[in-house]
């Protein structure tokens, strides 16, 4: 478990370092994600099992992903006085955007899959 | 012997109390959610935030004091983003099979998520700083906050909007998809993961395993796509 967490942190650290030195317009953890994926594929090809514990740690994180959003979400308490005047407009835009994005994404997926399947 | 009030004054200022309370609020919320058969309205993230916000408000505790404790959980958003590499690696075969529909849905969906905010936000007259903080709201919190602060937005506001988007998507996805008569659970999952990141993915896993898998993939891909699209659009449109 500890080795798994250490590996995830290591790849985040690598990602952050690359972003800092190159000025790449991507967040550090996203670069870490891509690096870890590439490293795991490379290990598979070489027949090495270096990432078993990283998988255990990752499963733990992803099973409780919702919890990690809680501290930021409670921030609404601190921002409320600032947002009050725009709250209605913000909520309306947010709901409309979410529904629109869901519908457009699912349609694109289904239509393209049907089109590709027919070929 | 000290007075109980002194104990409260001591504890309420310590990170220990708020960290412990956050974890127990989460355990309570997930128990309620399971008891109510994972009903979309009994969203554990929503319940936990409601319980904690009410507690802070009732006892007049500043958010900064709460965050002293909760920051240990918040910090884990970074490694949790890296952790998305694992489902992506495990399911790479399935991903490759659906590569073309996913690539199309990713590009179209990611642009819709951002452009809808630009257009509607300008239309209802949101201020510039709110707008910039709003754009990355479909990406997972750690990524969205990084994008927002790099473009001069307010990362705390972004975090709140990310969580709200997550909850709204998780609440509406099942009734919306049923109304649209979409039966492809890969497509349903992909849509909710792209729109509502981790909170949508957690919801998708509650409904169907294939949906959860594609939601996780969509969340990972949209974290990358959003970090490329938002800075570009800010330069071009705003």
């Amino acid at each position: 478990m500890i080795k798994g967490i250490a590996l995830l942190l290591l790849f985040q650290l690598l990602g952050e370092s690359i972003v800092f030195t190159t000025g790449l317009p991507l967040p550090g953890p996203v670069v870490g994600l891509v690096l870890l994926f590439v490293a795991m594929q490379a290990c598979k090809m070489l027949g090495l099992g270096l990432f078993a514990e990283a998988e255990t740690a990752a499963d733990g994180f992803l099973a409780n992903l919702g919890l990690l959003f809680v501290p930021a979400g409670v921030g609404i308490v601190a921002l409320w006085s600032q947002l009050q005047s725009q709250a209605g407009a913000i909520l309306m835009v947010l709901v409309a955007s979410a529904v629109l994005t869901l519908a457009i994404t699912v349609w694109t997926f289904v239509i393209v899959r049907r089109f590709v399947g027919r070929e | 012997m000290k007075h109980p009030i002194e104990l409260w004054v001591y504890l309420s200022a310590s990170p220990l109390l708020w960290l412990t309370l956050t974890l127990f609020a989460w355990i309570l919320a997930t128990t309620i959610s399971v008891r109510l058969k994972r009903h979309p309205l009994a969203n554990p993230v929503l319940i936990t935030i409601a319980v904690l916000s009410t507690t802070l408000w009732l006892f007049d505790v500043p958010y900064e004091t709460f965050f002293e404790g909760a920051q240990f959980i918040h910090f884990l958003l970074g490694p949790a983003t890296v952790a998305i590499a694992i489902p992506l690696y495990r399911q790479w075969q399935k991903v490759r099979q659906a590569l073309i529909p996913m690539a199309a849905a990713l590009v179209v969906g990611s642009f819709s998520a951002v452009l809808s905010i630009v257009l509607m936000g300008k239309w209802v007259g949101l201020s510039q700083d709110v707008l910039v903080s709003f754009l990355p709201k479909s990406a997972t919190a750690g990524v969205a906050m990084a994008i927002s602060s790099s473009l001069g937005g307010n990362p705390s506001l972004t975090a709140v909007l990310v969580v709200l988007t997550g909850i709204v998507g998780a609440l509406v996805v099942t009734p919306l998809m049923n109304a649209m008569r979409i039966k492809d659970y890969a497509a349903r999952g992909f849509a909710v993961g792209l729109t509502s990141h981790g909170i949508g993915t957690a919801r998708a896993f509650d409904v169907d395993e294939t949906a959860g898998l594609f939601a996780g993939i969509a969340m990972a891909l949209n974290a990358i796509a959003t970090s490329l699209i938002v800075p570009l659009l800010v330069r071009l449109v705003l």
Side-chain angles (χ1 to χ4, degrees), chain B residues 30-69:
Chain B
T30 45
T31 312
I32 293 174
S33 167
V34 170
R35 282 279 169 84
L36 295 175
K37 302 201 174 70
R38 303 272 185 194
H39 190 278
L41 283 177
N43 184 285
V45 182
L46 182 62
I47 297 172
T48 313
I49 292 173
V51 167
L52 292 170
S53 304
T54 313
T55 312
L56 295 187
W57 177 72
L58 277 178
F59 295 97
D60 207 14
V61 177
Y63 176 67
E64 289 70 25
T65 310
F66 162 80
F67 197 78
E68 288 273 308

mmCIF file of all heavy atoms in Angstrom, chain B residues 30-69:
data_model
loop_
_atom_site.group_PDB
_atom_site.id
_atom_site.type_symbol
_atom_site.label_atom_id
_atom_site.label_comp_id
_atom_site.label_asym_id
_atom_site.label_seq_id
_atom_site.Cartn_x
_atom_site.Cartn_y
_atom_site.Cartn_z
ATOM 1 N N THR B 30 -22.379 7.773 2.678
ATOM 2 C CA THR B 30 -22.368 6.580 1.826
ATOM 3 C C THR B 30 -23.339 5.527 2.381
ATOM 4 O O THR B 30 -23.976 4.810 1.612
ATOM 5 C CB THR B 30 -20.952 5.976 1.694
ATOM 6 O OG1 THR B 30 -20.354 5.940 2.993
ATOM 7 C CG2 THR B 30 -20.074 6.776 0.783
ATOM 8 N N THR B 31 -23.469 5.444 3.715
ATOM 9 C CA THR B 31 -24.422 4.503 4.311
ATOM 10 C C THR B 31 -25.848 4.875 3.904
ATOM 11 O O THR B 31 -26.632 4.015 3.487
ATOM 12 C CB THR B 31 -24.306 4.524 5.850
ATOM 13 O OG1 THR B 31 -22.929 4.433 6.193
ATOM 14 C CG2 THR B 31 -25.055 3.357 6.467
ATOM 15 N N ILE B 32 -26.167 6.178 4.007
ATOM 16 C CA ILE B 32 -27.508 6.640 3.600
ATOM 17 C C ILE B 32 -27.747 6.307 2.130
ATOM 18 O O ILE B 32 -28.794 5.777 1.760
ATOM 19 C CB ILE B 32 -27.642 8.167 3.830
ATOM 20 C CG1 ILE B 32 -27.616 8.487 5.326
ATOM 21 C CG2 ILE B 32 -28.931 8.697 3.197
ATOM 22 C CD1 ILE B 32 -27.586 9.971 5.642
ATOM 23 N N SER B 33 -26.742 6.592 1.303
ATOM 24 C CA SER B 33 -26.868 6.357 -0.136
ATOM 25 C C SER B 33 -27.129 4.877 -0.446
ATOM 26 O O SER B 33 -27.984 4.549 -1.272
ATOM 27 C CB SER B 33 -25.605 6.852 -0.828
ATOM 28 O OG SER B 33 -25.553 6.396 -2.139
ATOM 29 N N VAL B 34 -26.421 3.978 0.240
ATOM 30 C CA VAL B 34 -26.614 2.537 0.021
ATOM 31 C C VAL B 34 -28.006 2.116 0.495
ATOM 32 O O VAL B 34 -28.722 1.379 -0.184
ATOM 33 C CB VAL B 34 -25.514 1.725 0.741
ATOM 34 C CG1 VAL B 34 -25.841 0.233 0.717
ATOM 35 C CG2 VAL B 34 -24.166 1.968 0.082
ATOM 36 N N ARG B 35 -28.419 2.626 1.673
ATOM 37 C CA ARG B 35 -29.743 2.306 2.219
ATOM 38 C C ARG B 35 -30.851 2.723 1.251
ATOM 39 O O ARG B 35 -31.869 2.059 1.129
ATOM 40 C CB ARG B 35 -29.969 3.051 3.547
ATOM 41 C CG ARG B 35 -29.290 2.431 4.724
ATOM 42 C CD ARG B 35 -30.086 1.255 5.276
ATOM 43 N NE ARG B 35 -29.309 0.509 6.235
ATOM 44 C CZ ARG B 35 -29.200 0.850 7.533
ATOM 45 N NH1 ARG B 35 -29.855 1.895 7.993
ATOM 46 N NH2 ARG B 35 -28.452 0.145 8.337
ATOM 47 N N LEU B 36 -30.666 3.864 0.586
ATOM 48 C CA LEU B 36 -31.693 4.360 -0.337
ATOM 49 C C LEU B 36 -31.468 3.791 -1.739
ATOM 50 O O LEU B 36 -31.874 4.391 -2.735
ATOM 51 C CB LEU B 36 -31.702 5.895 -0.359
ATOM 52 C CG LEU B 36 -32.121 6.533 0.973
ATOM 53 C CD1 LEU B 36 -31.978 8.052 0.916
ATOM 54 C CD2 LEU B 36 -33.556 6.165 1.323
ATOM 55 N N LYS B 37 -30.783 2.661 -1.808
ATOM 56 C CA LYS B 37 -30.533 1.949 -3.062
ATOM 57 C C LYS B 37 -29.895 2.847 -4.116
ATOM 58 O O LYS B 37 -30.280 2.833 -5.285
ATOM 59 C CB LYS B 37 -31.826 1.325 -3.591
ATOM 60 C CG LYS B 37 -32.473 0.363 -2.593
ATOM 61 C CD LYS B 37 -33.413 -0.592 -3.290
ATOM 62 C CE LYS B 37 -33.965 -1.646 -2.359
ATOM 63 N NZ LYS B 37 -34.933 -1.096 -1.367
ATOM 64 N N ARG B 38 -28.944 3.668 -3.689
ATOM 65 C CA ARG B 38 -28.202 4.539 -4.606
ATOM 66 C C ARG B 38 -29.117 5.447 -5.431
ATOM 67 O O ARG B 38 -28.864 5.675 -6.625
ATOM 68 C CB ARG B 38 -27.325 3.705 -5.557
ATOM 69 C CG ARG B 38 -26.349 2.804 -4.832
ATOM 70 C CD ARG B 38 -25.073 3.532 -4.550
ATOM 71 N NE ARG B 38 -24.066 2.659 -3.959
ATOM 72 C CZ ARG B 38 -22.971 3.117 -3.370
ATOM 73 N NH1 ARG B 38 -22.747 4.397 -3.289
ATOM 74 N NH2 ARG B 38 -22.089 2.302 -2.861
ATOM 75 N N HIS B 39 -30.181 5.916 -4.826
ATOM 76 C CA HIS B 39 -31.058 6.859 -5.526
ATOM 77 C C HIS B 39 -30.231 8.086 -5.916
ATOM 78 O O HIS B 39 -29.443 8.580 -5.110
ATOM 79 C CB HIS B 39 -32.222 7.271 -4.617
ATOM 80 C CG HIS B 39 -33.279 8.048 -5.342
ATOM 81 N ND1 HIS B 39 -33.160 9.396 -5.581
ATOM 82 C CD2 HIS B 39 -34.442 7.659 -5.902
ATOM 83 C CE1 HIS B 39 -34.216 9.798 -6.259
ATOM 84 N NE2 HIS B 39 -35.019 8.768 -6.464
ATOM 85 N N PRO B 40 -30.408 8.587 -7.177
ATOM 86 C CA PRO B 40 -29.565 9.719 -7.607
ATOM 87 C C PRO B 40 -29.636 10.933 -6.672
ATOM 88 O O PRO B 40 -28.647 11.641 -6.503
ATOM 89 C CB PRO B 40 -30.089 10.056 -9.010
ATOM 90 C CG PRO B 40 -31.259 9.182 -9.253
ATOM 91 C CD PRO B 40 -31.242 8.077 -8.270
ATOM 92 N N LEU B 41 -30.784 11.163 -6.046
ATOM 93 C CA LEU B 41 -30.894 12.334 -5.159
ATOM 94 C C LEU B 41 -30.107 12.161 -3.856
ATOM 95 O O LEU B 41 -29.738 13.136 -3.219
ATOM 96 C CB LEU B 41 -32.359 12.628 -4.840
ATOM 97 C CG LEU B 41 -33.142 13.329 -5.952
ATOM 98 C CD1 LEU B 41 -34.600 13.489 -5.553
ATOM 99 C CD2 LEU B 41 -32.542 14.688 -6.275
ATOM 100 N N ALA B 42 -29.862 10.900 -3.474
ATOM 101 C CA ALA B 42 -29.082 10.648 -2.252
ATOM 102 C C ALA B 42 -27.598 10.578 -2.589
ATOM 103 O O ALA B 42 -26.902 9.650 -2.222
ATOM 104 C CB ALA B 42 -29.543 9.350 -1.600
ATOM 105 N N ASN B 43 -27.107 11.580 -3.306
ATOM 106 C CA ASN B 43 -25.702 11.616 -3.726
ATOM 107 C C ASN B 43 -24.782 11.828 -2.522
ATOM 108 O O ASN B 43 -24.932 12.808 -1.789
ATOM 109 C CB ASN B 43 -25.514 12.732 -4.749
ATOM 110 C CG ASN B 43 -24.117 12.758 -5.302
ATOM 111 O OD1 ASN B 43 -23.193 13.197 -4.633
ATOM 112 N ND2 ASN B 43 -23.948 12.256 -6.499
ATOM 113 N N PRO B 44 -23.841 10.898 -2.271
ATOM 114 C CA PRO B 44 -23.014 11.015 -1.065
ATOM 115 C C PRO B 44 -22.181 12.291 -0.986
ATOM 116 O O PRO B 44 -21.983 12.825 0.111
ATOM 117 C CB PRO B 44 -22.114 9.774 -1.114
ATOM 118 C CG PRO B 44 -22.273 9.192 -2.468
ATOM 119 C CD PRO B 44 -23.569 9.666 -3.022
ATOM 120 N N VAL B 45 -21.703 12.791 -2.139
ATOM 121 C CA VAL B 45 -20.906 14.030 -2.118
ATOM 122 C C VAL B 45 -21.792 15.199 -1.671
ATOM 123 O O VAL B 45 -21.405 16.008 -0.819
ATOM 124 C CB VAL B 45 -20.297 14.324 -3.509
ATOM 125 C CG1 VAL B 45 -19.443 15.569 -3.464
ATOM 126 C CG2 VAL B 45 -19.483 13.141 -3.981
ATOM 127 N N LEU B 46 -23.001 15.246 -2.227
ATOM 128 C CA LEU B 46 -23.953 16.308 -1.873
ATOM 129 C C LEU B 46 -24.309 16.254 -0.389
ATOM 130 O O LEU B 46 -24.288 17.276 0.304
ATOM 131 C CB LEU B 46 -25.208 16.151 -2.742
ATOM 132 C CG LEU B 46 -26.304 17.194 -2.560
ATOM 133 C CD1 LEU B 46 -25.795 18.573 -2.925
ATOM 134 C CD2 LEU B 46 -27.521 16.855 -3.421
ATOM 135 N N ILE B 47 -24.589 15.042 0.119
ATOM 136 C CA ILE B 47 -24.973 14.894 1.535
ATOM 137 C C ILE B 47 -23.822 15.342 2.444
ATOM 138 O O ILE B 47 -24.023 16.112 3.383
ATOM 139 C CB ILE B 47 -25.357 13.431 1.854
ATOM 140 C CG1 ILE B 47 -26.582 13.014 1.038
ATOM 141 C CG2 ILE B 47 -25.632 13.256 3.351
ATOM 142 C CD1 ILE B 47 -26.916 11.530 1.136
ATOM 143 N N THR B 48 -22.594 14.878 2.129
ATOM 144 C CA THR B 48 -21.447 15.225 2.973
ATOM 145 C C THR B 48 -21.221 16.730 3.004
ATOM 146 O O THR B 48 -21.009 17.313 4.074
ATOM 147 C CB THR B 48 -20.164 14.523 2.466
ATOM 148 O OG1 THR B 48 -20.471 13.152 2.230
ATOM 149 C CG2 THR B 48 -19.054 14.619 3.476
ATOM 150 N N ILE B 49 -21.276 17.371 1.831
ATOM 151 C CA ILE B 49 -21.063 18.822 1.777
ATOM 152 C C ILE B 49 -22.159 19.545 2.555
ATOM 153 O O ILE B 49 -21.895 20.497 3.294
ATOM 154 C CB ILE B 49 -20.992 19.302 0.312
ATOM 155 C CG1 ILE B 49 -19.719 18.769 -0.342
ATOM 156 C CG2 ILE B 49 -21.015 20.829 0.234
ATOM 157 C CD1 ILE B 49 -19.619 19.027 -1.826
ATOM 158 N N ALA B 50 -23.405 19.069 2.425
ATOM 159 C CA ALA B 50 -24.515 19.701 3.136
ATOM 160 C C ALA B 50 -24.336 19.580 4.655
ATOM 161 O O ALA B 50 -24.487 20.563 5.388
ATOM 162 C CB ALA B 50 -25.836 19.067 2.707
ATOM 163 N N VAL B 51 -23.966 18.382 5.126
ATOM 164 C CA VAL B 51 -23.781 18.160 6.568
ATOM 165 C C VAL B 51 -22.672 19.071 7.101
ATOM 166 O O VAL B 51 -22.841 19.770 8.112
ATOM 167 C CB VAL B 51 -23.427 16.670 6.847
ATOM 168 C CG1 VAL B 51 -22.925 16.486 8.277
ATOM 169 C CG2 VAL B 51 -24.632 15.783 6.580
ATOM 170 N N LEU B 52 -21.526 19.105 6.390
ATOM 171 C CA LEU B 52 -20.382 19.881 6.885
ATOM 172 C C LEU B 52 -20.641 21.385 6.795
ATOM 173 O O LEU B 52 -20.314 22.125 7.725
ATOM 174 C CB LEU B 52 -19.118 19.500 6.110
ATOM 175 C CG LEU B 52 -18.615 18.071 6.364
ATOM 176 C CD1 LEU B 52 -17.519 17.698 5.393
ATOM 177 C CD2 LEU B 52 -18.126 17.920 7.804
ATOM 178 N N SER B 53 -21.243 21.843 5.682
ATOM 179 C CA SER B 53 -21.523 23.279 5.544
ATOM 180 C C SER B 53 -22.471 23.740 6.639
ATOM 181 O O SER B 53 -22.278 24.810 7.231
ATOM 182 C CB SER B 53 -22.158 23.579 4.186
ATOM 183 O OG SER B 53 -21.334 23.116 3.165
ATOM 184 N N THR B 54 -23.508 22.928 6.914
ATOM 185 C CA THR B 54 -24.458 23.282 7.968
ATOM 186 C C THR B 54 -23.757 23.358 9.318
ATOM 187 O O THR B 54 -23.985 24.285 10.105
ATOM 188 C CB THR B 54 -25.599 22.241 8.026
ATOM 189 O OG1 THR B 54 -26.065 22.012 6.707
ATOM 190 C CG2 THR B 54 -26.737 22.719 8.895
ATOM 191 N N THR B 55 -22.873 22.387 9.589
ATOM 192 C CA THR B 55 -22.137 22.390 10.858
ATOM 193 C C THR B 55 -21.292 23.656 10.992
ATOM 194 O O THR B 55 -21.316 24.324 12.043
ATOM 195 C CB THR B 55 -21.216 21.154 10.938
ATOM 196 O OG1 THR B 55 -21.984 19.993 10.584
ATOM 197 C CG2 THR B 55 -20.634 20.976 12.322
ATOM 198 N N LEU B 56 -20.553 24.007 9.937
ATOM 199 C CA LEU B 56 -19.709 25.211 9.985
ATOM 200 C C LEU B 56 -20.562 26.451 10.223
ATOM 201 O O LEU B 56 -20.214 27.328 11.019
ATOM 202 C CB LEU B 56 -18.929 25.377 8.668
ATOM 203 C CG LEU B 56 -17.889 24.318 8.331
ATOM 204 C CD1 LEU B 56 -17.099 24.726 7.102
ATOM 205 C CD2 LEU B 56 -16.944 24.097 9.492
ATOM 206 N N TRP B 57 -21.707 26.504 9.536
ATOM 207 C CA TRP B 57 -22.582 27.664 9.640
ATOM 208 C C TRP B 57 -23.188 27.764 11.041
ATOM 209 O O TRP B 57 -23.178 28.829 11.654
ATOM 210 C CB TRP B 57 -23.676 27.547 8.562
ATOM 211 C CG TRP B 57 -24.682 28.642 8.595
ATOM 212 C CD1 TRP B 57 -24.498 29.944 8.224
ATOM 213 C CD2 TRP B 57 -26.042 28.539 9.035
ATOM 214 N NE1 TRP B 57 -25.654 30.649 8.398
ATOM 215 C CE2 TRP B 57 -26.617 29.816 8.886
ATOM 216 C CE3 TRP B 57 -26.823 27.487 9.520
ATOM 217 C CZ2 TRP B 57 -27.954 30.075 9.225
ATOM 218 C CZ3 TRP B 57 -28.150 27.734 9.841
ATOM 219 C CH2 TRP B 57 -28.709 29.014 9.704
ATOM 220 N N LEU B 58 -23.671 26.624 11.589
ATOM 221 C CA LEU B 58 -24.296 26.609 12.921
ATOM 222 C C LEU B 58 -23.326 27.061 14.009
ATOM 223 O O LEU B 58 -23.675 27.822 14.899
ATOM 224 C CB LEU B 58 -24.785 25.195 13.260
ATOM 225 C CG LEU B 58 -26.144 24.776 12.725
ATOM 226 C CD1 LEU B 58 -26.437 23.332 13.122
ATOM 227 C CD2 LEU B 58 -27.242 25.703 13.271
ATOM 228 N N PHE B 59 -22.071 26.575 13.939
ATOM 229 C CA PHE B 59 -21.109 26.876 14.996
ATOM 230 C C PHE B 59 -20.208 28.046 14.639
ATOM 231 O O PHE B 59 -19.247 28.324 15.334
ATOM 232 C CB PHE B 59 -20.283 25.627 15.327
ATOM 233 C CG PHE B 59 -21.110 24.523 15.921
ATOM 234 C CD1 PHE B 59 -21.598 23.497 15.140
ATOM 235 C CD2 PHE B 59 -21.434 24.542 17.279
ATOM 236 C CE1 PHE B 59 -22.376 22.487 15.698
ATOM 237 C CE2 PHE B 59 -22.217 23.542 17.841
ATOM 238 C CZ PHE B 59 -22.699 22.507 17.035
ATOM 239 N N ASP B 60 -20.535 28.705 13.515
ATOM 240 C CA ASP B 60 -19.804 29.897 13.115
ATOM 241 C C ASP B 60 -18.296 29.635 13.003
ATOM 242 O O ASP B 60 -17.475 30.414 13.501
ATOM 243 C CB ASP B 60 -20.080 31.020 14.138
ATOM 244 C CG ASP B 60 -19.926 32.384 13.491
ATOM 245 O OD1 ASP B 60 -19.885 32.444 12.253
ATOM 246 O OD2 ASP B 60 -19.824 33.388 14.229
ATOM 247 N N VAL B 61 -17.947 28.511 12.350
ATOM 248 C CA VAL B 61 -16.535 28.158 12.154
ATOM 249 C C VAL B 61 -16.106 28.654 10.779
ATOM 250 O O VAL B 61 -16.778 28.372 9.785
ATOM 251 C CB VAL B 61 -16.348 26.627 12.240
ATOM 252 C CG1 VAL B 61 -14.907 26.238 11.967
ATOM 253 C CG2 VAL B 61 -16.790 26.120 13.607
ATOM 254 N N PRO B 62 -15.006 29.411 10.672
ATOM 255 C CA PRO B 62 -14.567 29.871 9.345
ATOM 256 C C PRO B 62 -14.079 28.710 8.481
ATOM 257 O O PRO B 62 -13.548 27.724 9.002
ATOM 258 C CB PRO B 62 -13.426 30.845 9.638
ATOM 259 C CG PRO B 62 -13.070 30.663 11.051
ATOM 260 C CD PRO B 62 -14.163 29.928 11.753
ATOM 261 N N TYR B 63 -14.269 28.836 7.157
ATOM 262 C CA TYR B 63 -13.865 27.787 6.210
ATOM 263 C C TYR B 63 -12.373 27.472 6.339
ATOM 264 O O TYR B 63 -11.964 26.317 6.236
ATOM 265 C CB TYR B 63 -14.204 28.226 4.786
ATOM 266 C CG TYR B 63 -13.744 27.253 3.723
ATOM 267 C CD1 TYR B 63 -14.317 25.990 3.618
ATOM 268 C CD2 TYR B 63 -12.720 27.587 2.842
ATOM 269 C CE1 TYR B 63 -13.898 25.092 2.661
ATOM 270 C CE2 TYR B 63 -12.300 26.691 1.873
ATOM 271 C CZ TYR B 63 -12.890 25.444 1.791
ATOM 272 O OH TYR B 63 -12.461 24.558 0.829
ATOM 273 N N GLU B 64 -11.563 28.501 6.587
ATOM 274 C CA GLU B 64 -10.112 28.305 6.691
ATOM 275 C C GLU B 64 -9.771 27.319 7.808
ATOM 276 O O GLU B 64 -8.870 26.499 7.663
ATOM 277 C CB GLU B 64 -9.396 29.645 6.943
ATOM 278 C CG GLU B 64 -9.384 30.600 5.758
ATOM 279 C CD GLU B 64 -10.753 31.189 5.443
ATOM 280 O OE1 GLU B 64 -11.609 31.265 6.353
ATOM 281 O OE2 GLU B 64 -10.993 31.539 4.260
ATOM 282 N N THR B 65 -10.490 27.416 8.938
ATOM 283 C CA THR B 65 -10.249 26.504 10.058
ATOM 284 C C THR B 65 -10.588 25.077 9.652
ATOM 285 O O THR B 65 -9.826 24.134 9.910
ATOM 286 C CB THR B 65 -11.117 26.910 11.265
ATOM 287 O OG1 THR B 65 -10.949 28.295 11.499
ATOM 288 C CG2 THR B 65 -10.753 26.120 12.503
ATOM 289 N N PHE B 66 -11.756 24.927 8.991
ATOM 290 C CA PHE B 66 -12.164 23.610 8.497
ATOM 291 C C PHE B 66 -11.113 23.045 7.541
ATOM 292 O O PHE B 66 -10.716 21.889 7.622
ATOM 293 C CB PHE B 66 -13.522 23.732 7.796
ATOM 294 C CG PHE B 66 -13.854 22.578 6.894
ATOM 295 C CD1 PHE B 66 -14.340 21.387 7.407
ATOM 296 C CD2 PHE B 66 -13.678 22.689 5.517
ATOM 297 C CE1 PHE B 66 -14.642 20.319 6.578
ATOM 298 C CE2 PHE B 66 -13.980 21.631 4.678
ATOM 299 C CZ PHE B 66 -14.456 20.441 5.211
ATOM 300 N N PHE B 67 -10.619 23.917 6.639
ATOM 301 C CA PHE B 67 -9.705 23.452 5.590
ATOM 302 C C PHE B 67 -8.345 23.013 6.147
ATOM 303 O O PHE B 67 -7.680 22.170 5.560
ATOM 304 C CB PHE B 67 -9.523 24.529 4.516
ATOM 305 C CG PHE B 67 -8.948 23.978 3.248
ATOM 306 C CD1 PHE B 67 -9.753 23.278 2.359
ATOM 307 C CD2 PHE B 67 -7.600 24.131 2.943
ATOM 308 C CE1 PHE B 67 -9.224 22.745 1.195
ATOM 309 C CE2 PHE B 67 -7.068 23.602 1.772
ATOM 310 C CZ PHE B 67 -7.886 22.914 0.900
ATOM 311 N N GLU B 68 -7.956 23.593 7.310
ATOM 312 C CA GLU B 68 -6.722 23.144 7.975
ATOM 313 C C GLU B 68 -6.729 21.629 8.145
ATOM 314 O O GLU B 68 -5.706 20.968 7.999
ATOM 315 C CB GLU B 68 -6.631 23.781 9.369
ATOM 316 C CG GLU B 68 -6.330 25.253 9.380
ATOM 317 C CD GLU B 68 -4.851 25.513 9.356
ATOM 318 O OE1 GLU B 68 -4.145 24.938 10.211
ATOM 319 O OE2 GLU B 68 -4.412 26.279 8.481
ATOM 320 N N GLY B 69 -7.905 21.083 8.484
ATOM 321 C CA GLY B 69 -8.021 19.640 8.653
ATOM 322 C C GLY B 69 -8.297 18.938 7.340
ATOM 323 O O GLY B 69 -7.700 17.907 7.027
#
